[in-house]
Amino acid sequence: MSGVAAPAIEDHLIEVLLPSLWPDVQISRGHPGRWVKPDVAWLGPTVCTSAGQVCMGPLRLQDEPYEITVLISCTRAGDHTAQADADAAAWALLSALRDNLRAATTPNLGGTCVRAKLASYSLERSDDAELLEKHGRNATITAVLEVLART
C-alpha cells in the first residue's frame, strides 16, 4: 500500500466494521446532524500521531500511528429514570466494538493495519434542560481507537 492509510481505515470502519457490529445504529462519517434513530455513531477526528518518519526508496515500509475517534450516542425517551437505559445502550455498543478488536485474529481494518485497540473512552450525559425535555436522556461515549497502519 502506498500513500496515507487513514482513508482506507475510515472507509472500513464506516462501511464494514461498525455496520456489522451495530446493524440498528445510524452510522455516519462526521456528525450526523439531525438524526432519526435513537442510537447514532459517527467518526470524529482522525489524528496521525507521528508522521515524521523518513523512508527512502519505494520498497521501504512506513508505520503510521493513528488515533481515530468514534462517538456513540444513545437517547432514550423519558425522565431521569431513562438515563440508566441510555447509559446501558451506549456501554453495550462500546463493548461490542472492544470485544471485536480484542477477538479479531487479524484486526487489519481493510488491509491497512498492523494492530488496532480501544485506547480510551469517556461517557458524557447531556445537561441541556431543553434537549432533555424534548428528546429524553442521552449518553454519548467518545472512544479513541489507537491504530498502527503500515504504508
Side-chain angles (χ1 to χ4, degrees), residues 3-150:
V4 176
I9 297 167
E10 289 182 346
D11 287 347
H12 187 78
L13 284 169
I14 290 295
E15 296 170 11
V16 180
L17 181 62
L18 298 181
S20 72
L21 294 175
W22 307 329
D24 296 327
V25 175
Q26 180 179 337
I27 298 170
S28 69
R29 186 184 305 263
H31 194 285
R34 183 183 170 118
W35 55 79
V36 295
K37 292 188 175 184
D39 298 336
V40 181
W42 66 95
L43 291 185
T46 296
V47 178
C48 182
T49 58
S50 176
Q53 300 175 6
V54 177
C55 296
M56 297 182 69
L59 299 179
R60 298 217 180 188
L61 298 176
Q62 177 175 341
D63 289 342
E64 289 182 358
Y66 289 99
E67 290 180 350
I68 300 174
T69 303
V70 177
L71 292 104
I72 302 164
S73 180
C74 297
T75 302
R76 297 297 180 265
D79 61 11
H80 67 280
T81 61
Q83 188 64 57
D85 293 337
D87 292 356
W91 287 124
L93 293 174
L94 179 69
S95 293
L97 176 59
R98 184 201 61 218
D99 292 348
N100 177 273
L101 293 174
R102 192 182 282 173
T105 55
T106 55
N108 62 17
L109 298 179
T112 60
C113 293
V114 176
R115 70 174 180 267
K117 69 177 184 176
L118 180 62
S120 66
Y121 51 88
S122 64
L123 180 134
E124 294 181 33
R125 296 172 185 96
S126 178
D127 60 0
D128 182 322
E130 184 178 330
L131 288 175
L132 293 172
E133 172 111 11
K134 186 175 181 181
H135 298 289
R137 300 297 159 155
N138 178 268
T140 299
I141 292 179
T142 301
V144 177
L145 305 181
E146 192 175 276
V147 176
L148 180 62
R150 181 146 294 156

